[in-house]
Amino acid sequence: MSLVIAYGRFAAAVNSLLAVLLLAVVPLSQAHAQSTPIKIAVLGDSLAAGFGVKPAESFPARLEVALKAQGRNVTVLNHGVSGDTTAGGLDRIDWMLADKPDIVLVELGGNDALRGTDPKVTEKNLTAIVEKLKAAGVTVWLAGMLAPRNLGSDYVTAFDGLYKRIAEKYQVPLYPFILDGVAQDPAFIQADGIHPNPKGAQVVADRLLPFVTKNLDDHAAAVHRPARP
């Protein structure tokens, strides 16, 4: 009888120890998930790169500051290259993916329009970018651009509509116009009439923020990960 009692006490002790270990492991795994930031990469052109402004004044840098001010555990990686086209963005996806982003905001197409590139070519390149990112298991967001109005109504209609078509086809969130609230406003644009000045970059980040926070929460819910620390 004493042997049975001793065994029972031993089994109870083992079960208690296992319970303690399980309770310890769960918070540790949660803490790791919370301590690892969600990486958002901006695959873009000079608008993302911050042409004519300091690196800390670019809209991706301003966006990271705004997200962290909300308590978001996020890192924004600036993969903007001045002068880049959709073809150039497609060529450097593998290089960007080496940073292992969780989310990629695609901000490309402005230089295509400035060069008068056939909108069908731009759409083909952006489609390939979205497909390649999705194949890599990355969440994709798309930022739209509007064509210069002096290119004619046919070009404008074809170009402006391609972002919505891609977003609907691949079910990716679309921010319709990356320069919303900034374009053609002398208070926010540099002397070249194209690129945001520091104030303009802040406006871009401020206007983009609600789009990012909503879709960041959706992403976190989809991968069962806390969006905040």
Side-chain angles (χ1 to χ4, degrees):
M1 179 67 70
S2 60
L3 181 61
V4 172
I5 294 173
Y7 176 79
R9 288 175 178 173
F10 173 76
V14 170
N15 288 335
S16 297
L17 179 60
L18 288 173
V20 170
L21 289 174
L22 284 172
L23 288 172
V25 168
V26 171
L28 282 174
S29 62
Q30 291 176 347
H32 176 71
Q34 293 175 359
S35 64
T36 304
I38 293 176
K39 294 181 181 179
I40 303 174
V42 181
L43 180 66
D45 49 34
S46 56
L47 300 179
F51 177 86
V53 301
K54 298 176 182 177
E57 295 172 338
S58 66
F59 85 75
R62 297 287 182 87
L63 183 62
E64 180 179 275
V65 170
L67 289 168
K68 288 185 174 180
Q70 291 185 349
R72 306 263 178 178
N73 193 15
V74 172
T75 296
V76 179
L77 307 171
N78 192 338
H79 281 272
V81 173
S82 292
D84 212 4
T85 61
T86 53
L90 179 59
D91 287 342
R92 60 190 176 90
I93 286 180
D94 290 337
W95 170 63
M96 181 198 63
L97 288 176
D99 282 340
K100 301 186 182 302
D102 301 289
I103 301 164
V104 175
L105 172 65
V106 181
E107 178 275 300
L108 288 167
N111 288 313
D112 293 51
L114 290 174
R115 298 180 183 189
T117 302
D118 187 337
K120 291 181 181 179
V121 174
T122 300
E123 187 165 358
K124 180 181 178 181
N125 290 336
L126 284 174
T127 295
I129 288 172
V130 172
E131 289 181 347
K132 190 165 185 177
L133 291 173
K134 279 183 165 287
V138 176
T139 295
V140 182
W141 301 341
L142 188 60
M145 175 53 67
L146 300 178
R149 271 32 197 170
N150 62 356
L151 294 178
S153 60
D154 289 344
Y155 188 95
V156 167
T157 299
F159 184 89
D160 291 1
L162 67 87
Y163 293 92
K164 185 177 181 181
R165 288 194 295 273
I166 293 171
E168 290 178 347
K169 180 178 180 180
Y170 293 96
Q171 294 297 294
V172 299
L174 171 65
Y175 184 74
F177 181 37
I178 191 63
L179 291 178
D180 180 46
V182 173
Q184 298 184 328
D185 189 331
F188 300 130
I189 293 291
Q190 296 178 42
D192 61 11
I194 298 174
H195 297 95
N197 59 25
K199 289 182 180 179
Q202 184 64 62
V203 172
V204 172
D206 290 343
R207 298 229 176 179
L208 190 59
L209 184 61
F211 169 87
V212 171
T213 54
K214 176 191 181 301
N215 288 291
L216 186 59
D217 288 339
D218 291 345
H219 168 81
V223 298
H224 307 291
R225 180 178 178 184
R228 298 172 183 268

